[in-house]
Amino acid sequence: MQKVYSDAESALKGLADGASIAVGGFGLSGNPENLITAVSKLGTKNLTVVSNNCGTTELGLGVLLKAKQIKKMISSYVGENKEFERQFLAGELEVELCPQGTLAERLRAGGAGIGGFFTPTGYGTQIAEGKETRIIDGKGYVLEKPLVTDFAFVKAWKGDAWGNLVFRKTARNFNPVAAMAGKITIAEVEELVPVGALDPDQVHLPSVYVHRIFQGKNYQKWIEQRTVREKK
Amino acid sequence: MLTREQIAARVARELKDGFYVNLGIGLPTLVANYIPDGVEVVLQSENGLLGIGPFPFAGDEDPDLINAGKQTVTEIKGSSYFSSADSFAMIRGGKIDLSVLGALQISHKKGEPRGDLANWMVPGKMVKGMGGAMDLVAGTKRVIIAMEHVAKGEAKIVKECTLPLTGKGVVDTIVTDLAYMDVTPEGIVVRELAPGVTKHELVAQTKAPLLFAPDLQTMAV
C-alpha cells in the first residue's frame, strides 16, 4: 500500500479544471492549508467547492475565490468574506446555501452510500422549495440528497502512512465527513507517523476513507476572532 | 427597559441543572455569564464541542479550539469533541435541551403551538447564509429568542414574517428589553413586563396581537 506523498503538489495529481472538491474546516480552523496553497499555485479553474465557509477575504479558501478559481460554492455560512459577497451579487459566482447540519449529513450520506435523507431542517422555508417533502408521524421533513465529490481535502493533527487520522479539538469539524464524500481524499497532517504508531482505539477516521496523505508544512493556523480574558 | 446584559440574565434563569444548551452568536452568547449558582449546564458549540469554557488567558489561545462564532475558547472538565455530522445529530435529534437565538422577525399563527422565525436573510442585502440556525430551531427541545424588541424603529414581532423563514413553528419563548413572552396556541402571551414598561408601550411596539397573562408580573432584574 502506497498512499504517502511528499507534498501537496504531488498529492494533487489528476486534479483538473471543473473538478468538485469537498474541503474540511470551520472558519479558518482545521483548514487544509497546504492543499489550498498548492491549488492556488496550480491555477486550477471552474472548481465546485463544498465547504462550510469560504475562508476570509484574504485567507483560506478566500485565496481561491479571489483568484476566480471557484465557479460554485456549496456552503452554510459565508459572512466573513467581502469578495464572496461582491462576486455573488455581481453574478460571477454560483452559490448553493445549505443548512450546516444538512451539509454535514449530505457529505456523510455521500460517503455512506445513502441515496438521500428526510430532515426536519428547513421544512416550511425556502430551502424546501423544489424539494420533495413528506409528513412522517405528523412531522414535516425535507428530502436532501447526498454529496459525492471528485476530491476531498482534509486536515488532521496526526495520521499514519495508511491514512488513519486523529484530529485535534474543534479542528475536527467537517474534516471527517468531507473525507467520506471524496472519490479521491487527500489528507494533510501536522505529523505523519508509521503504521502501527497510532492506538487503533483512538483513531477518529479509519484509513479506508483516505487515498493520499502527506505531512504539511508551515502551518499558519490563523485565528479569526482572538478573544481572551484578563488574568485576575 | 432592559440592557442586553439584563436580557441575557433573564434568559439564564430558564436554565435548569443538567441542561445541554446551545447559545447563538451575539446577545445569546452573553447568557453564559449569568448561569445561576448551583445549576450545572453544558454548552454546545455546533462546530464540535460539548463543554465550552471561558475565553482563554492571553497567550493561551489555541487555533484548534474555537466556538461557532470563530472565537478562541477553552474546554471545561468533562468536555468532548466530535465531527459536524455528530454535532448536528445531537441538535436535530432533540438531545439539546435549549437553544437561544436572535431574530429579525417573529410571528405566530393562531392555533399553532409555536411561532415562526426569520433570522438569516434580508433579500437583496446580505448574503451570509443560515449556518446552523435552521437545524437548531428544527431540532432543539425548546427555542428561546433573545433580542431587542424593535430594530431601527421597526417592530420585530409581526403578524406574519415577511423575511425568509429560518423555521416554521419553532419559537417557544421571546425575551426582549421590554417583556418576557411565551408562544401558545391561543397567541403570544406576555408573562412579565420589564420594570417601567407599560402594557400600552409594549402593544405600541409590537405589530402582532398580544395576550396578557392573568398573573402578569413585573420582571425581577
Side-chain angles (χ1 to χ4, degrees), chain A residues 170 172, chain B residues 42 48-51 75-82 90:
Chain A
T170 56
R172 186 181 321 188
Chain B
V42 178
L49 166 60
L50 272 176
E75 65 190 30
I76 61 166
K77 275 184 194 164
S79 288
S80 56
Y81 296 106
F82 35 84
M90 62 184 81

Side-chain angles (χ1 to χ4, degrees), chain B residues 118-174:
Chain B
N119 76 352
W120 74 281
M121 184 190 185
V122 179
K125 266 195 177 172
M126 57 183 184
V127 189
K128 289 195 172 182
M130 68 294 283
M134 284 193 176
D135 305 279
L136 280 160
V137 299
T140 312
K141 280 187 200 148
R142 184 181 180 203
V143 173
I144 299 182
I145 301 301
M147 65 174 195
E148 265 121 26
H149 203 88
V150 295
K152 293 170 194 147
E154 289 275 333
K156 294 167 85 172
I157 303 175
V158 294
K159 223 163 166 203
E160 196 168 352
C161 292
T162 51
L163 296 170
L165 291 182
T166 306
K168 203 171 173 58
V170 295
V171 177
D172 295 293
T173 298
I174 310 164

Side-chain angles (χ1 to χ4, degrees), chain A residues 29 53 76-78 88 100-102 119 121 125 168-171 173-174 177 221 225-229 231, chain B residues 55-57 61-66 70-72 75 81 83-85 88 92 127-131 135 165:
Chain A
S29 188
N53 315 97
S76 88
Y77 187 81
V78 290
F88 176 70
Q100 197 172 131
T102 299
T119 175
T121 303
T125 76
R168 187 171 174 275
K169 302 186 185 282
T170 56
N173 55 59
F174 272 83
V177 287
K221 290 199 170 189
Q225 306 282 340
R226 189 177 299 276
T227 44
V228 295
R229 70 189 143 133
K231 267 195 180 125
Chain B
F55 292 144
F57 293 120
E61 309 93 301
D62 184 343
D64 291 342
L65 181 42
I66 61 169
K70 285 110 181 174
Q71 297 173 312
T72 46
E75 65 190 30
Y81 296 106
S83 75
S84 299
F88 284 92
R92 252 189 267 101
V127 189
K128 289 195 172 182
M130 68 294 283
D135 305 279
L165 291 182

Side-chain angles (χ1 to χ4, degrees), chain B residues 2-11 27 146-147 175-177:
Chain B
L2 305 184
T3 61
R4 285 162 61 82
E5 283 72 19
Q6 287 170 322
I7 298 172
R10 178 62 192 86
V11 172
L27 201 171
M147 65 174 195
V175 182
T176 74
D177 47 343

